[in-house]
Amino acid sequence: MDYLRAFIVGGLICVVGQLLIDLTKLTPARIMVIFVVAGVILGALGIYPLLVEWGGAGATVPIIGFGNVLAKGVMEDVDKKGLIGAFSGGVRAGAVGIAAAVFFGYIMAVVSKPKTKNKA
Amino acid sequence: MGTRLGKQTVRLDSKPVIQSWAAIVGAKEGHGPLGRFFDEIIEDEYFGEESFEKAESKFLRETLAKILMKGKVSSGDIQYIFAGDLLNQCIAANFGVRESEIPFFGLYGACSTMAESLSLGSLMVEGGFAERCVCITSSHFCSAEKQFRFPLEFGNQRPPTAQWTVTGAGGVMVGKAGDGPRVVHVTTGKIVDMGITDANDMGSAMAPAACDTITAHFRETNLPPNHYDLIVTGDLGIHGKNLCLQLLEENGITIKEFYDDCGVMIYDPQKQKTDCGGSGCACSATVLAGYILEKMSKRELNRVLFVATGALHSPISVQQGESIPAIAHAVGIEMV
């Protein structure tokens, strides 16, 4: 059941991304930024945590989940440290994701070579 | 010496001869509908090199060697080489011709470079400044994606109006004498900018330029459109081709029965998932040097108007919201 719910939430988030690619002239980089910012806003309003509760990794894995983590971290650190937390919270909460992205990105760059997706 | 027919067109009275030609392409082009016409098909997109940029230079270098070999001349017999590509500072051409020791003019005409180089090479021969010139250009899907869109590592999704940059190089040797197809008219394009800002829809940006140059060609030469067996644009793709026909129709020029586009010809869009078709400097260059000149030398085609089209934007101009200036150069090639 968890898998199904993750599939539904994650899938619907991707459908939104696909529609943005197909129906608008937004570049992928802009779509990515829109997703992160949307995650921050939905996280701050307390809407995204409800999706995470219901959909689990389906909501946390897509890039919009990263925005949610940023918002969550900022709110926690502001409570603990005051205004300075607005600057430290996001990066602290996202540290695992950011460091893992850099680390695995580097490893993959070392072991693999870029190539065309559909060659024939 | 040539005769100026109008603002944009020159008639070359000595009719410089395209003495030899060659095209080397990548796997996708080799597996496409024109595959059997190319001199060589390279399955490895790195062409044995470390980077896509080096691979592209090698495509150009090997094509140059093939042109000289087929023309039975050495690099010392060539007075000028006109070459260009899509990369920053035209490095594919710079590095590709580095060892040749041929006097070199580097060109940037985006995807119109083949017609631009052929125009200049032919004018140089017509003017008596050269016995022989090589006109050559290259592009590479992987290096062009990095240059204009995103590096392949990023795994970007292609929008449906996107075109597929041709991997390969094509070129010709133009000289004073011989039996081959001859360059009779050169119509130089002017920049046409219709205010299109979508860098994923080059066909629509370039079609008005193609229409403008083709219209100027017929106006200034006084030739009827059916003078040609084939009028071929460079890389307008499926959308751009239809738009070009429509625009020409509005100018009273009907060429539907003998009009085609290299970008449409080179791939099978359904089977090869190339969306709107091919693009890149090598698109028109390989179709010219692979297919068209071969057909002409067998006299299956006698008169061809070759109109390569280019979009003269840069990634920075697109990011700054500038529209896409486009250009098209036409070269009338005939068997005499």
Side-chain angles (χ1 to χ4, degrees), chain A residues 18 21-22 25 27-30 32 113-120, chain B residues 28 45-46 49 52 141-142 150 152-153 155-157 164 198 272-273:
Chain A
Q18 189 66 49
I21 290 179
D22 288 350
K25 287 179 177 176
T27 58
R30 285 189 180 178
M32 198 169 77
K113 239 182 161 184
K115 60 180 187 217
T116 312
K117 274 190 278 187
N118 78 80
K119 274 191 206 170
Chain B
K28 204 179 189 82
E45 57 193 355
Y46 280 96
E49 299 285 331
F52 298 128
F141 172 75
C142 304
F150 296 96
L152 295 180
E153 297 92 305
N156 185 37
Q157 263 203 44
W164 191 281
D198 183 2
Q272 298 190 292
K273 295 187 181 155

Short mmCIF file of all heavy atoms in Angstrom, two decimals, chain A residues 18 21-22 25 27-30 32 113-120, chain B residues 28 45-46 49 52 141-142 150 152-153 155-157 164 198 272-273:
data_model
loop_
_atom_site.label_atom_id
_atom_site.label_comp_id
_atom_site.label_asym_id
_atom_site.label_seq_id
_atom_site.Cartn_x
_atom_site.Cartn_y
_atom_site.Cartn_z
N GLN A 18 5.91 17.08 -16.65
CA GLN A 18 5.78 16.73 -18.07
C GLN A 18 4.86 17.72 -18.80
O GLN A 18 5.15 18.14 -19.92
CB GLN A 18 5.25 15.30 -18.21
CG GLN A 18 5.29 14.76 -19.63
CD GLN A 18 6.71 14.60 -20.14
OE1 GLN A 18 7.56 14.01 -19.46
NE2 GLN A 18 7.00 15.15 -21.30
N ILE A 21 6.70 20.83 -19.53
CA ILE A 21 7.62 20.68 -20.68
C ILE A 21 6.84 20.72 -21.99
O ILE A 21 7.22 21.41 -22.95
CB ILE A 21 8.41 19.36 -20.58
CG1 ILE A 21 9.41 19.44 -19.43
CG2 ILE A 21 9.12 19.04 -21.89
CD1 ILE A 21 10.22 18.18 -19.24
N ASP A 22 5.71 19.99 -22.03
CA ASP A 22 4.98 19.84 -23.29
C ASP A 22 4.17 21.08 -23.66
O ASP A 22 4.01 21.40 -24.84
CB ASP A 22 4.05 18.63 -23.22
CG ASP A 22 4.83 17.32 -23.28
OD1 ASP A 22 6.04 17.38 -23.55
OD2 ASP A 22 4.24 16.26 -23.04
N LYS A 25 6.81 26.94 -22.80
CA LYS A 25 8.14 27.07 -23.39
C LYS A 25 9.21 27.18 -22.31
O LYS A 25 10.34 27.59 -22.57
CB LYS A 25 8.18 28.28 -24.32
CG LYS A 25 7.41 27.97 -25.60
CD LYS A 25 7.37 29.10 -26.58
CE LYS A 25 6.64 28.62 -27.84
NZ LYS A 25 6.47 29.69 -28.80
N THR A 27 12.19 26.36 -19.91
CA THR A 27 13.32 25.45 -20.03
C THR A 27 13.34 24.54 -18.81
O THR A 27 12.79 24.89 -17.76
CB THR A 27 14.65 26.22 -20.07
OG1 THR A 27 14.76 27.00 -18.87
CG2 THR A 27 14.73 27.14 -21.27
N PRO A 28 13.97 23.35 -18.94
CA PRO A 28 14.02 22.42 -17.81
C PRO A 28 14.61 23.06 -16.56
O PRO A 28 14.16 22.78 -15.45
CB PRO A 28 14.92 21.30 -18.33
CG PRO A 28 14.76 21.35 -19.80
CD PRO A 28 14.57 22.79 -20.15
N ALA A 29 15.61 23.94 -16.74
CA ALA A 29 16.22 24.58 -15.57
C ALA A 29 15.20 25.43 -14.83
O ALA A 29 15.12 25.42 -13.60
CB ALA A 29 17.40 25.43 -16.01
N ARG A 30 14.37 26.13 -15.58
CA ARG A 30 13.34 26.97 -14.95
C ARG A 30 12.30 26.11 -14.24
O ARG A 30 11.83 26.45 -13.15
CB ARG A 30 12.67 27.86 -15.98
CG ARG A 30 13.56 28.99 -16.38
CD ARG A 30 12.81 29.99 -17.22
NE ARG A 30 13.72 31.07 -17.58
CZ ARG A 30 13.40 32.08 -18.35
NH1 ARG A 30 12.18 32.16 -18.83
NH2 ARG A 30 14.27 33.01 -18.63
N MET A 32 12.75 23.26 -12.93
CA MET A 32 13.36 22.75 -11.70
C MET A 32 13.31 23.80 -10.59
O MET A 32 12.94 23.50 -9.45
CB MET A 32 14.81 22.34 -11.98
CG MET A 32 15.39 21.42 -10.95
SD MET A 32 16.95 20.76 -11.51
CE MET A 32 18.02 22.14 -11.22
N LYS A 113 30.95 7.69 -18.87
CA LYS A 113 31.19 8.65 -19.94
C LYS A 113 29.84 9.04 -20.54
O LYS A 113 28.99 8.17 -20.75
CB LYS A 113 32.02 7.94 -21.02
CG LYS A 113 33.34 8.64 -21.30
CD LYS A 113 34.09 7.94 -22.38
CE LYS A 113 35.13 8.90 -22.93
NZ LYS A 113 35.87 8.35 -24.04
N PRO A 114 29.62 10.33 -20.80
CA PRO A 114 28.32 10.70 -21.38
C PRO A 114 28.15 10.14 -22.79
O PRO A 114 29.11 10.00 -23.53
CB PRO A 114 28.38 12.23 -21.42
CG PRO A 114 29.81 12.58 -21.36
CD PRO A 114 30.48 11.49 -20.59
N LYS A 115 26.91 9.81 -23.14
CA LYS A 115 26.63 9.39 -24.51
C LYS A 115 25.18 9.68 -24.89
O LYS A 115 24.37 10.01 -24.03
CB LYS A 115 26.97 7.91 -24.69
CG LYS A 115 26.19 6.99 -23.79
CD LYS A 115 26.61 5.54 -24.04
CE LYS A 115 25.70 4.62 -23.25
NZ LYS A 115 26.35 3.47 -22.70
N THR A 116 24.88 9.54 -26.16
CA THR A 116 23.54 9.83 -26.65
C THR A 116 22.54 8.80 -26.16
O THR A 116 22.86 7.62 -26.10
CB THR A 116 23.54 9.80 -28.19
OG1 THR A 116 24.65 10.57 -28.65
CG2 THR A 116 22.28 10.38 -28.76
N LYS A 117 21.31 9.27 -25.84
CA LYS A 117 20.30 8.34 -25.32
C LYS A 117 19.75 7.39 -26.37
O LYS A 117 19.68 6.20 -26.15
CB LYS A 117 19.16 9.12 -24.66
CG LYS A 117 19.45 9.45 -23.21
CD LYS A 117 18.22 10.00 -22.50
CE LYS A 117 18.05 11.48 -22.80
NZ LYS A 117 16.98 12.10 -22.02
N ASN A 118 19.30 7.92 -27.49
CA ASN A 118 18.85 6.97 -28.53
C ASN A 118 19.67 7.18 -29.80
O ASN A 118 19.51 8.13 -30.52
CB ASN A 118 17.34 6.99 -28.73
CG ASN A 118 16.84 8.16 -29.53
OD1 ASN A 118 16.91 8.16 -30.76
ND2 ASN A 118 16.34 9.17 -28.86
N LYS A 119 20.56 6.20 -30.01
CA LYS A 119 21.57 6.39 -31.05
C LYS A 119 21.09 6.03 -32.45
O LYS A 119 21.52 6.61 -33.42
CB LYS A 119 22.79 5.53 -30.73
CG LYS A 119 23.74 6.23 -29.80
CD LYS A 119 25.01 5.44 -29.74
CE LYS A 119 25.71 5.68 -28.44
NZ LYS A 119 26.81 4.77 -28.23
N ALA A 120 20.25 5.00 -32.54
CA ALA A 120 19.84 4.54 -33.86
C ALA A 120 18.90 5.55 -34.47
O ALA A 120 18.93 5.90 -35.57
CB ALA A 120 19.14 3.20 -33.76
N LYS B 28 23.61 7.52 -36.37
CA LYS B 28 22.19 7.80 -36.61
C LYS B 28 21.94 8.22 -38.06
O LYS B 28 20.99 7.77 -38.69
CB LYS B 28 21.74 8.91 -35.66
CG LYS B 28 20.26 8.93 -35.39
CD LYS B 28 19.92 10.04 -34.44
CE LYS B 28 18.48 9.95 -33.98
NZ LYS B 28 18.29 9.00 -32.89
N GLU B 45 30.54 7.51 -31.35
CA GLU B 45 30.32 8.97 -31.37
C GLU B 45 31.53 9.74 -30.86
O GLU B 45 31.62 10.95 -31.04
CB GLU B 45 29.04 9.35 -30.64
CG GLU B 45 28.98 8.91 -29.21
CD GLU B 45 27.57 9.03 -28.63
OE1 GLU B 45 26.68 9.56 -29.31
OE2 GLU B 45 27.37 8.59 -27.50
N TYR B 46 32.46 9.05 -30.20
CA TYR B 46 33.71 9.70 -29.79
C TYR B 46 34.78 9.62 -30.91
O TYR B 46 35.82 10.23 -30.80
CB TYR B 46 34.27 9.05 -28.52
CG TYR B 46 33.58 9.51 -27.25
CD1 TYR B 46 32.56 8.78 -26.68
CD2 TYR B 46 33.97 10.69 -26.63
CE1 TYR B 46 31.92 9.20 -25.52
CE2 TYR B 46 33.36 11.12 -25.48
CZ TYR B 46 32.34 10.37 -24.92
OH TYR B 46 31.73 10.80 -23.77
N GLU B 49 38.27 9.42 -29.89
CA GLU B 49 38.89 10.54 -29.17
C GLU B 49 38.36 10.62 -27.74
O GLU B 49 37.46 9.88 -27.36
CB GLU B 49 38.57 11.85 -29.91
CG GLU B 49 39.09 11.91 -31.34
CD GLU B 49 40.59 12.13 -31.41
OE1 GLU B 49 41.13 12.77 -30.49
OE2 GLU B 49 41.22 11.67 -32.37
N PHE B 52 33.85 14.98 -27.24
CA PHE B 52 33.01 15.17 -28.43
C PHE B 52 33.58 16.26 -29.34
O PHE B 52 33.44 16.20 -30.55
CB PHE B 52 31.59 15.54 -28.00
CG PHE B 52 30.91 14.45 -27.20
CD1 PHE B 52 30.32 14.73 -25.98
CD2 PHE B 52 30.87 13.15 -27.66
CE1 PHE B 52 29.70 13.74 -25.24
CE2 PHE B 52 30.26 12.14 -26.94
CZ PHE B 52 29.67 12.45 -25.71
N PHE B 141 26.14 16.08 -32.68
CA PHE B 141 25.00 16.14 -31.77
C PHE B 141 25.44 16.42 -30.34
O PHE B 141 24.90 17.31 -29.67
CB PHE B 141 24.21 14.82 -31.83
CG PHE B 141 23.13 14.73 -30.80
CD1 PHE B 141 21.95 15.44 -30.96
CD2 PHE B 141 23.28 13.96 -29.66
CE1 PHE B 141 20.94 15.38 -30.00
CE2 PHE B 141 22.29 13.90 -28.69
CZ PHE B 141 21.12 14.61 -28.87
N CYS B 142 26.44 15.68 -29.87
CA CYS B 142 26.79 15.75 -28.44
C CYS B 142 27.46 17.08 -28.09
O CYS B 142 27.21 17.65 -27.02
CB CYS B 142 27.69 14.59 -28.07
SG CYS B 142 26.97 12.98 -28.45
N PHE B 150 21.88 21.59 -23.13
CA PHE B 150 22.46 21.10 -21.88
C PHE B 150 23.42 19.97 -22.20
O PHE B 150 23.21 19.23 -23.15
CB PHE B 150 21.35 20.57 -20.96
CG PHE B 150 20.39 21.64 -20.52
CD1 PHE B 150 19.20 21.83 -21.20
CD2 PHE B 150 20.70 22.46 -19.45
CE1 PHE B 150 18.32 22.83 -20.81
CE2 PHE B 150 19.83 23.46 -19.05
CZ PHE B 150 18.63 23.64 -19.73
N LEU B 152 24.96 16.32 -22.16
CA LEU B 152 24.19 15.07 -22.14
C LEU B 152 24.08 14.47 -20.74
O LEU B 152 23.10 13.81 -20.42
CB LEU B 152 24.82 14.05 -23.09
CG LEU B 152 24.78 14.44 -24.57
CD1 LEU B 152 25.44 13.34 -25.38
CD2 LEU B 152 23.38 14.67 -25.04
N GLU B 153 25.10 14.70 -19.91
CA GLU B 153 25.09 14.15 -18.56
C GLU B 153 23.85 14.60 -17.80
O GLU B 153 23.38 13.94 -16.88
CB GLU B 153 26.31 14.63 -17.76
CG GLU B 153 27.64 14.20 -18.30
CD GLU B 153 28.22 15.23 -19.26
OE1 GLU B 153 27.54 15.58 -20.23
OE2 GLU B 153 29.36 15.67 -19.04
N GLY B 155 20.88 14.80 -18.85
CA GLY B 155 19.73 13.94 -19.14
C GLY B 155 18.46 14.73 -19.45
O GLY B 155 17.37 14.35 -19.07
N ASN B 156 18.61 15.83 -20.14
CA ASN B 156 17.48 16.71 -20.46
C ASN B 156 16.45 16.02 -21.36
O ASN B 156 16.79 15.19 -22.18
CB ASN B 156 18.04 17.94 -21.17
CG ASN B 156 16.99 18.98 -21.43
OD1 ASN B 156 16.11 19.17 -20.61
ND2 ASN B 156 17.08 19.62 -22.58
N GLN B 157 15.17 16.40 -21.18
CA GLN B 157 14.12 15.90 -22.09
C GLN B 157 13.98 16.83 -23.28
O GLN B 157 13.99 18.05 -23.12
CB GLN B 157 12.79 15.88 -21.35
CG GLN B 157 12.46 14.54 -20.78
CD GLN B 157 10.95 14.42 -20.56
OE1 GLN B 157 10.15 14.80 -21.40
NE2 GLN B 157 10.59 13.88 -19.43
N TRP B 164 17.29 17.47 -34.36
CA TRP B 164 18.40 16.64 -33.94
C TRP B 164 19.66 17.08 -34.71
O TRP B 164 19.68 17.00 -35.94
CB TRP B 164 18.08 15.17 -34.22
CG TRP B 164 19.03 14.23 -33.59
CD1 TRP B 164 20.27 13.90 -34.04
CD2 TRP B 164 18.84 13.50 -32.38
NE1 TRP B 164 20.87 13.01 -33.16
CE2 TRP B 164 20.02 12.76 -32.14
CE3 TRP B 164 17.78 13.40 -31.45
CZ2 TRP B 164 20.16 11.91 -31.03
CZ3 TRP B 164 17.94 12.57 -30.36
CH2 TRP B 164 19.13 11.84 -30.16
N ASP B 198 11.84 31.45 -29.27
CA ASP B 198 11.93 30.07 -28.78
C ASP B 198 13.10 29.34 -29.43
O ASP B 198 13.04 28.96 -30.60
CB ASP B 198 10.61 29.34 -29.08
CG ASP B 198 10.62 27.92 -28.53
OD1 ASP B 198 11.63 27.55 -27.88
OD2 ASP B 198 9.64 27.21 -28.74
N GLN B 272 13.35 7.02 -35.93
CA GLN B 272 14.59 7.45 -35.28
C GLN B 272 14.35 8.46 -34.16
O GLN B 272 15.30 8.93 -33.55
CB GLN B 272 15.55 8.03 -36.33
CG GLN B 272 15.93 6.98 -37.35
CD GLN B 272 17.06 7.45 -38.24
OE1 GLN B 272 16.89 8.37 -39.03
NE2 GLN B 272 18.22 6.85 -38.10
N LYS B 273 13.09 8.78 -33.88
CA LYS B 273 12.75 9.70 -32.78
C LYS B 273 13.52 11.01 -32.85
O LYS B 273 14.11 11.46 -31.88
CB LYS B 273 13.01 9.03 -31.43
CG LYS B 273 12.11 7.84 -31.18
CD LYS B 273 12.27 7.32 -29.77
CE LYS B 273 11.40 6.12 -29.55
NZ LYS B 273 11.88 5.25 -28.50
#
